[in-house]
Every structure is written in structure tokens, then in C-alpha cells.
């Protein structure tokens, strides 16, 4: 049967080639879309968690906005002990993140102050790699690292002093002078224009909170374990007012963006596959109409109706195989090319307002999703061929033989 | 010779808006080894009767018994199996599968029967030899003449050793010489292999070759003439 089906596929070579090409281009477009969205999502998560959020965080349970835990101080040590002994944690650090005021002789600005343990933070986030002028923080010093944009707005240069002010947990204002030791340039308006970095110890002194922090941020060896790690940490932390959360609870907008992108991809997928399905349906209906007499002959020499149905489905499946092979190759070449040379996306520039995000995306394949797209193509191919196949199966031999 | 196919009270009414009776109560018995022709003008019901006997069409009324079994009562599935086992067909327009070679066309009933490929090829070549076309085994139908195509069709009809071959105007598309050669072939197969042939024609030259001629007119059996 397969030999006859294969030859039938190529009976009208041009039509089959156009059809296979349509399927192939459709599949390649889907694979490209899947890879693009996945690469964007992976890069978005990597950049968000790698710039500031971390994979898992321990903080007070009553923090109302996780991006700004402000005055919700905790004793970090019980959590620190848990993180230290968890083999899934790659690196962790204590932090105080708070909003405050930064003043220079000529100007003042509101800013998000990130007080960190510098040596741990170097491994926890990649902010140290963005320093273009000066050095990173010294744990025992009173240095401050800020974006070039803040420095320009404050009219301060490397080596000059600024004063930070922030509200302590008791409501009083803490203030401290810091010397500008490093200027970074991430390309992100939010990071370069709104965030400053200081050593944790200096901030604890400034807020009169020695040994305290308002969060513990951890980077895991494998981000996909974040939920499991957070759950176990949560259980181990006990019933108190300190809990473990994942990056998903902090960067909720990324999850929304992911859901939105996935929804758009699904719609595109449905549209592309609908076009492919209509192409197959059209081809098989035309092919059926052209070969009614031939099906009559096959039935007269003893082919069962089910055999004729299977023949048409086999033809469609073979055509689908050719289209899928072509599409998979084309898709792999596209993804490989843009994986190697990168794809310039204006979207990167838009996203970089919120976080450091490159405007060039390096695409990588998602074999599971691509395999799913191929499988869907086969299913669609078979489903589209089903109506003409069933119609052929219902032909009456004598009527089919009379067909002109 | 005993009857092995009998058509009893066959009526066939086509209803395409208005009702047309193509067969009006035909009774016919075919004996094993017959070389019989259905004769009659166009519209007399020859093809319809062949289709009904061959289970390609169901009668409006009546039954076709094959070795005593009513094959009209079988479902489509079982009728297909019956045709595969017992019948061979030759059509006026050859009706070979254009994408298959001569040998592959002949092999097709064997494919449907599940015969393994080596045996299939052997039987197909034997059938080709029987119709004197063994050197054309690997040619596609479009590279064969009309007469050659019809001989391949005959080979396809006999390759699975059916007991009855039904041929609807088998010589109508052939010139008289080629038509005569095809009849020689069919007659030879009838005599040498004992295959029963029932074919239709309105050509007197063809009808002359039949040992039995059944005359149909307006869907009725008018005469049944046996020659020796």
C-alpha cells in the first residue's frame, strides 16, 4: 500500500511539491516562532533573575511588594543556615533593599538602594560586570556604585561623595555619606537611572540594624528547581513570619508576559495549521475527484472500503512527512543561523527600560516544542485527509467506475 | 457442467429524480466453464447485469447466488472479500493504475490477498506470460498500446485464479484485429485454465466467438442461445 501511496503522492508532482512546501514553510515558521519566544523568555528570566531578583528569596511574609521589601527586616541567620547547607543552592547573599534619597551638593534623587554582601553579590548577579568606570564595592568600605545616568543627574563623578537617606524600621531617618567608587552602564533606564549599590554592613549601620537584612537572595544551580527549593525552605523555616518565595512571585510581570507570548504563539499556530489543513483538504479532495474511477477499480478487484480510506490517509501522511522533513530542516537552519549570528530585535530595546536586556537575541532550539509542532502537523495532515478518505471509502464500486 | 452462478429475478431501478428500470426481473444461470456473452444494444442492461453479478452494484430486487450463497446480502466488506477471492474484472477502458508498472498492476489483487512479495512477482510474471507480455513487465500503462493494456488487465483479472471473469465490453476500445487477439486469449484461458468468462458486447464479430449468447433488450432477457 505504501508503494502505491508514495507514487500517488508524486502523481501530480507540482501540486504535491507546492503542498509540501506550504507545510514546510508553515512548520518552519512555527519552529522559528517557538524558538524566538522561548529564547526571549529564557533571556528575560536569566536577565531578571541574574540582575537583581535571584532564583529564590527568603523575606518577611507580610511584605506587600516584593520588589521593595523596605522596612520589613528579618534576622537572616536561620534562613542563611538553610541556604548554606542546601546543595541545590549555588550562591546566596544577605541584602537590604529599600527606597531612599540620594543627595549630592547640586541635586537630590529618589532611588532604590540595594545593600549587598559584595563578594557574594558578584556571583549572585552580574551587576559587577556592567561597571565601566571605577571598581565594585568593598564589604567594609563606604563606597557606592551607581549608574552613569544617576551620576550625571546628580552631577557627581568618581571619587566624590553623596549622602544616602532612608527610613529605618522605627520610623527615624538614617543618613550616611558614601563615596562613588564605580559607575555602571547596563543600557537599562531603570538600572542606570534609579538603583544604587552599597555594602550591606554600611547600610546596617546607617539604619541602626546591625546583623539584620530584609531579604536573603539565592541563585540555584538549576532554576527549574526553584519551586521545590522554595517549598522545602518554607517548610524548614517553620510557622513564623519569614517565608521563601521564587522569582515568579517577585517578577510577576514576566509570568504575565510569558502567558501573553504563549497565547499569541498558540493563535499563530492555530492559524498556520488551519491554512495547512485547508491545503491538504483541497489537495485530497481534488485528488479524490480525479481518481474516483480508480478507487472503483481498486474496489472491484477486492479492496475493502477501509483499505481505500487507509490508502488516502497514507498518501496524506507521506506528503506530511515530506513537508515536515523540509520544514524541520528549514526551521533548524533558521534557528541555527540566528543562534549563531543573533537576531536584532527592537523588542530588546523596549525591554531594556526595565532591566538590562540585549537588543540581539541568540536563538536556541526547543526540541520538545518542535517535536510537538511536527506531531501536530502529522495529526492535522491526517485529520484534514479524513473527510476525503471517508468519502472515498463510501463510494459504490459501480458508481465510481461510471465516473468520468 | 453445473450452475455455479445464478441471478434470480434481478430488478434494478435507478432513481435519479425519475425512475428508470435498467433490469426487469432477469433470471440467468451461468455454468462453470461457460464462455458466455451478454448481447444487446446500448441501454439494454448488459453492464448493469454484469455489475450486479459482480457485486459492484446491488439489485433493487432479486438475488445473485454464487455456489448457492446469496452474495447480494453480504455487506460491502464481505463483498470486497468475495470479489477478491472469486472474481476477476476486465473493463472497456482497461482501468490500469497509471502509477504502477504492468507487473505491479497485475500483482495488486495478490497484495490485497496478502501474498508475500516474491510469490507475487512470480505469479504476476506467469500471468504476463499467459498474455504474452512478459517483456513488458516493468512498463507503465502509458507506454503500452491499448491492446497491450487490455491484455495486462486480463492478466490482472486472472492472476489470483478466480473462477469467474466478468468483462464489460472488453474489445470496444480495440481495433478488430487486436480485439480478435484478445478474444483468442480469453478463449484460451477458458479452455486451458477452466476459467468461466461472462462478457458483454454489441459487436456481432465478438458475439460470434461466444459459445453462449444471452440477449438482453430493455432490461429483459429475450433469448439464451447455446452454440456448440
Amino acid at each position: 500500500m505504501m508503494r502505491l501511496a508514495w507514487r500517488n503522492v508524486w502523481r501530480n508532482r507540482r501540486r504535491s511539491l507546492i503542498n509540501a512546501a506550504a507545510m514546510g514553510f508553515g512548520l518552519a515558521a512555527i519552529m522559528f516562532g517557538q524558538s524566538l519566544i522561548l529564547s526571549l523568555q529564557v533571556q528575560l528570566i536569566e536577565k531578571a533573575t541574574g540582575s537583581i531578583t535571584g532564583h529564590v528569596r527568603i523575606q518577611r511574609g507580610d511584605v506587600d511588594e516584593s520588589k521593595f521589601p523596605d522596612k520589613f527586616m528579618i534576622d537572616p541567620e536561620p534562613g542563611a543556615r538553610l541556604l548554606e547547607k542546601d546543595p541545590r543552592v549555588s550562591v546566596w547573599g544577605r541584602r537590604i533593599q529599600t527606597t531612599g534619597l540620594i543627595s549630592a551638593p547640586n541635586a537630590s534623587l529618589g532611588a532604590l538602594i540595594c545593600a549587598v554582601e559584595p563578594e557574594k553579590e558578584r556571583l549572585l548577579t552580574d551587576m559587577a560586570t556592567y561597571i565601566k568606570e571605577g571598581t565594585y564595592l568593598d564589604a567594609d568600605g563606604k563606597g557606592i556604585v551607581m549608574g552613569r545616568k544617576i551620576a550625571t543627574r546628580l552631577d557627581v563623578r568618581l571619587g566624590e561623595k553623596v549622602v544616602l537617606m532612608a527610613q529605618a524600621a522605627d520610623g527615624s531617618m538614617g543618613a550616611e555619606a558614601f563615596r562613588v567608587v564605580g559607575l555602571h552602564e547596563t543600557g537599562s533606564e531603570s538600572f542606570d537611572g534609579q538603583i544604587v549599590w552599597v555594602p550591606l554592613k554600611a547600610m546596617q549601620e546607617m539604619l541602626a540594624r546591625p546583623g539584620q537584612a530584609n531579604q536573603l537572595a539565592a541563585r540555584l544551580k538549576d532554576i527549574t528547581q526553584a519551586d521545590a527549593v522554595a517549598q522545602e525552605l518554607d517548610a524548614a523555616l517553620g510557622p513564623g513570619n519569614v517565608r521563601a518565595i521564587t522569582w515568579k512571585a517577585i517578577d510577576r510581570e514576566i509570568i504575565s508576559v510569558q502567558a501573553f507570548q504563549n497565547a499569541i504563539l498558540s493563535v499563530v499556530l492555530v492559524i498556520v495549521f488551519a491554512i495547512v489543513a485547508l491545503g491538504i483538504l483541497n489537495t485530497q479532495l481534488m485528488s479524490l475527484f480525479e481518481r474516483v474511477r480508480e478507487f472503483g477499480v481498486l474496489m472491484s478487484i477486492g479492496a475493502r472500503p477501509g483499505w481505500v480510506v487507509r490508502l488516502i490517509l497514507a498518501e496524506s501522511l507521506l506528503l506530511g512527512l515530506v513537508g515536515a522533513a523540509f520544514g524541520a530542516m528549514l526551521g533548524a537552519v533558521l534557528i541555527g543561523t540566528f543562534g549563531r549570528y543573533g537576531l536584532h530585535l527592537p523588542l530588546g530595546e523596549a525591554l531594556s527600560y526595565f532591566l538590562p536586556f540585549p537588543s540581539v537575541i541568540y536563538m536556541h532550539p526547543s526540541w520538545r516544542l518542535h517535536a510537538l509542532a511536527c506531531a501536530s502537523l502529522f495529526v492535522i495532515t491526517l485529520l484534514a485527509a479524513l473527510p476525503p478518505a471517508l468519502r472515498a471509502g463510501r463510494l459504490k464500486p459501480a458508481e465510481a467506475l461510471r465516473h468520468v | 457442467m453445473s450452475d455455479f452462478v445464478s441471478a434470480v429475478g434481478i430488478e434494478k431501478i435507478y432513481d435519479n429524480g425519475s425512475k428508470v428500470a435498467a433490469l426487469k426481473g432477469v433470471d440467468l444461470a451461468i455454468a462453470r466453464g461457460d464462455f458466455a456473452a451478454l448481447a444487446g444494444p446500448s441501454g439494454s442492461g448488459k453492464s448493469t447485469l454484469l455489475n450486479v453479478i459482480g457485486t459492484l452494484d446491488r439489485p433493487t430486487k432479486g438475488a445473485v447466488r454464487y455456489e448457492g450463497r446469496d452474495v447480494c446480502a453480504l455487506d460491502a466488506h464481505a463483498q470486497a472479500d468475495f470479489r477478491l477471492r472469486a472474481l476477476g474484472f476486465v473493463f472497456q477502458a482497461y482501468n490500469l493504475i497509471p502509477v504502477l508498472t504492468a507487473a505491479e498492476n497485475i500483482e495488486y489483487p495478490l497484495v490485497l490477498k496478502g501474498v508475500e512479495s516474491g510469490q507475487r512477482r512470480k505469479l504476476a510474471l506467469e500471468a504476463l506470460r499467459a498474455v504474452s507480455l512478459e517483456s513488458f513487465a516493468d512498463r507503465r500503462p502509458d507506454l503500452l498500446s491499448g491492446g497491450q493494456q487490455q491484455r495486462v488487465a486480463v492478466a490482472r483479472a486472472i492472476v489470483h485464479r478466480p473462477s469467474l471473469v466478468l468483462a464489460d465490453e472488453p474489445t470496444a476500445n480495440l481495433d478488430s484485429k487486436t480485439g480478435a487477439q484478445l478474444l483468442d486469449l480469453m478463449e484460451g484461458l477458458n479452455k486451458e485454465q477452466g476459467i468461466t468468462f461472462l462478457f458483454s458486447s454489441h459487436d456481432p464479430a465478438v458475439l460470434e466467438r461466444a459459445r453462449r449468447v444471452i440477449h438482453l433488450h430493455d432490461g429483459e432477457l429475450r433469448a439464451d442461445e447455446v452454440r456448440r
Side-chain angles (χ1 to χ4, degrees):
Chain A
M1 178 194 279
M2 292 314 272
R3 180 167 55 184
L4 179 59
W6 179 249
R7 292 196 191 161
N8 280 337
V9 166
W10 299 111
R11 183 184 286 226
N12 191 327
R13 190 175 293 267
R14 190 191 302 170
R15 187 166 66 198
S16 293
L17 279 176
I18 289 173
N19 227 314
M23 278 192 247
F25 283 124
L27 180 62
I30 292 290
M31 283 172 65
F32 183 82
Q34 287 173 326
S35 169
L36 179 64
I37 296 232
L38 181 90
S39 306
L40 259 175
Q41 289 176 348
V42 166
Q43 209 142 325
L44 196 59
I45 293 164
E46 270 176 12
K47 283 294 165 188
T49 58
S51 299
I52 193 159
T53 310
H55 295 161
V56 170
R57 201 185 267 186
I58 294 174
Q59 61 182 28
R60 279 256 297 263
D62 52 351
V63 170
D64 48 9
E65 170 50 64
S66 290
K67 280 193 171 49
F68 307 104
D70 276 1
K71 60 185 188 229
F72 297 91
M73 292 294 174
I74 56 169
D75 170 11
E77 295 321 309
R81 282 193 292 277
L82 291 173
L83 291 172
E84 186 60 38
K85 68 178 185 195
D86 195 321
R88 293 166 295 183
V89 174
S90 157
V91 59
W92 61 273
R94 301 172 185 85
R95 284 175 176 173
I96 294 176
Q97 255 176 32
T98 184
T99 47
L101 190 72
I102 175 167
S103 299
N106 298 326
S108 295
L109 283 173
L112 177 69
I113 304 164
C114 289
V116 297
E117 294 180 284
E119 288 318 307
K120 287 182 172 176
E121 198 69 22
R122 270 179 185 279
L123 303 169
L124 196 54
T125 66
D126 53 9
M127 286 311 295
T129 62
Y130 289 110
I131 290 180
K132 300 290 180 211
E133 215 180 317
T135 59
Y136 195 54
L137 300 169
D138 168 18
D140 297 318
K142 289 204 171 157
I144 183 168
V145 168
M146 63 177 70
R148 272 215 174 116
K149 279 189 178 157
I150 296 188
T152 306
R153 283 171 198 160
L154 290 171
D155 192 24
V156 292
R157 272 159 288 281
L158 211 60
E160 293 181 356
K161 276 190 174 177
V162 293
V163 174
L164 287 188
M165 274 190 285
Q167 192 183 26
D170 59 3
S172 67
M173 289 301 284
E176 186 66 74
F178 290 84
R179 192 173 297 280
V180 180
V181 294
L183 297 174
H184 62 66
E185 205 175 294
T186 64
S188 159
E189 168 62 29
S190 300
F191 277 68
D192 294 345
Q194 293 166 20
I195 304 177
V196 296
W197 310 81
V198 294
L200 178 70
K201 201 188 271 182
M203 180 57 84
Q204 286 170 333
E205 283 170 18
M206 179 181 126
L207 299 178
R209 294 288 177 188
Q212 290 195 352
N214 63 7
Q215 62 177 267
L216 285 150
R219 185 172 184 81
L220 306 181
K221 290 168 186 161
D222 177 4
I223 191 173
T224 61
Q225 291 194 311
D227 287 325
V229 171
Q231 253 176 20
E232 286 168 36
L233 284 172
D234 221 21
L237 284 165
N241 194 22
V242 177
R243 64 186 190 98
I245 56 172
T246 69
W247 64 272
K248 294 177 206 168
I250 302 160
D251 293 326
R252 287 191 297 267
E253 67 280 3
I254 293 181
I255 302 298
S256 310
V257 167
Q258 268 186 328
F260 179 65
Q261 287 172 335
N262 291 341
I264 288 184
L265 187 64
S266 303
V267 170
V268 172
L269 198 123
V270 167
I271 292 171
V272 171
F273 280 154
I275 293 169
V276 168
L278 286 174
I280 296 269
L281 184 66
N282 180 45
T283 303
Q284 291 293 17
L285 277 175
M286 280 171 69
S287 171
L288 167 71
F289 190 71
E290 287 166 3
R291 293 191 290 152
V292 166
R293 197 184 172 91
E294 207 171 295
F295 293 129
V297 174
L298 286 169
M299 286 173 162
S300 69
I301 62 177
R304 293 174 177 174
W307 191 93
V308 173
V309 172
R310 287 201 303 279
L311 176 69
I312 293 177
L313 292 181
E315 289 172 17
S316 199
L317 193 70
L318 288 172
L319 190 63
L321 261 175
V322 174
F326 168 61
M329 273 193 290
L330 184 64
V333 167
L334 278 174
I335 292 165
T337 304
F338 287 111
R340 187 167 177 186
Y341 300 107
L343 175 67
H344 184 87
L345 271 188
L347 186 64
E349 281 154 24
L351 280 170
S352 70
Y353 181 85
F354 304 101
L355 77 167
F357 201 85
S359 55
V360 177
I361 298 285
Y362 291 92
M363 291 172 62
H364 33 86
S366 164
W367 298 119
R368 192 185 63 83
L369 287 178
H370 301 335
L372 206 65
C374 279
S376 307
L377 182 73
F378 285 129
V379 172
I380 294 287
T381 309
L382 282 180
L383 284 179
L386 208 51
L390 292 175
R391 205 167 145 186
R394 282 196 297 268
L395 287 171
K396 291 182 179 139
E399 283 174 22
L401 284 166
R402 277 197 294 270
H403 187 88
V404 181
Chain B
M1 283 189 286
S2 59
D3 292 351
F4 83 116
V5 179
S6 57
V8 185
I10 301 292
E11 286 182 18
K12 179 70 188 176
I13 297 166
Y14 290 108
D15 190 357
N16 299 319
S18 60
K19 291 189 176 180
V20 178
L23 295 172
K24 301 168 185 167
V26 174
D27 292 302
L28 176 68
I30 306 289
R32 201 178 287 276
D34 258 356
F35 192 68
L38 290 173
S42 288
S44 58
K46 304 187 296 293
S47 295
T48 305
L49 184 57
L50 277 178
N51 284 342
V52 169
I53 291 174
T55 68
L56 300 179
D57 209 352
R58 289 181 191 276
T60 311
K61 204 171 162 191
V64 174
R65 295 210 175 84
Y66 183 89
E67 292 175 338
R69 182 182 176 209
D70 182 2
V71 289
C72 296
L74 301 174
D75 64 17
H77 194 102
Q79 283 188 336
D81 290 351
F82 161 67
R83 290 194 292 271
L84 183 60
R85 198 182 66 248
L87 304 184
F89 289 89
V90 179
F91 304 98
Q92 179 179 339
Y94 327 135
N95 284 347
L96 299 177
I97 311 287
V99 292
L100 300 180
T101 64
E104 287 167 345
N105 262 288
I106 296 164
E107 279 182 44
Y108 230 81
L110 304 174
V111 171
L112 295 171
K113 271 187 136 174
V115 177
E116 66 87 22
S117 66
Q119 179 69 4
R120 273 196 326 246
R121 184 77 186 175
K122 185 171 159 271
L123 291 170
L125 291 176
E126 267 175 31
L128 268 172
R129 204 169 301 125
V131 298
S132 309
L133 281 176
E134 58 266 55
S135 57
F136 294 86
D138 295 322
R139 288 217 189 161
R140 291 211 180 174
D142 56 345
L143 297 175
L144 298 172
S145 69
Q148 287 169 335
Q149 285 190 56
Q150 198 61 307
R151 278 151 70 190
V152 171
V154 170
R156 180 178 65 185
I158 59 160
V159 70
H160 55 301
R161 310 253 188 271
S163 41
L164 174 64
V165 171
L166 300 165
D168 190 7
E169 304 264 10
T171 60
N173 283 7
L174 305 176
D175 59 61
S176 55
K177 189 180 164 198
T178 316
Q181 285 170 347
L182 187 82
L183 284 166
D184 289 344
L185 171 66
M186 286 164 53
E187 203 172 7
L189 290 166
N190 170 256
K191 282 180 178 161
E192 288 154 25
Q193 297 189 19
I195 300 170
T196 307
F197 276 85
L198 178 62
F199 54 95
S200 65
S201 181
H202 55 263
D203 180 351
V206 173
L207 297 174
E208 256 180 38
R209 304 284 302 268
R211 292 200 296 276
R212 180 181 170 195
V213 181
I214 300 139
H215 294 271
L216 286 172
H217 193 83
D218 286 342
E220 289 173 355
L221 201 151
R222 289 286 170 84
D224 192 347
E225 177 191 347
V226 179
R227 302 164 180 167
R228 285 286 173 262

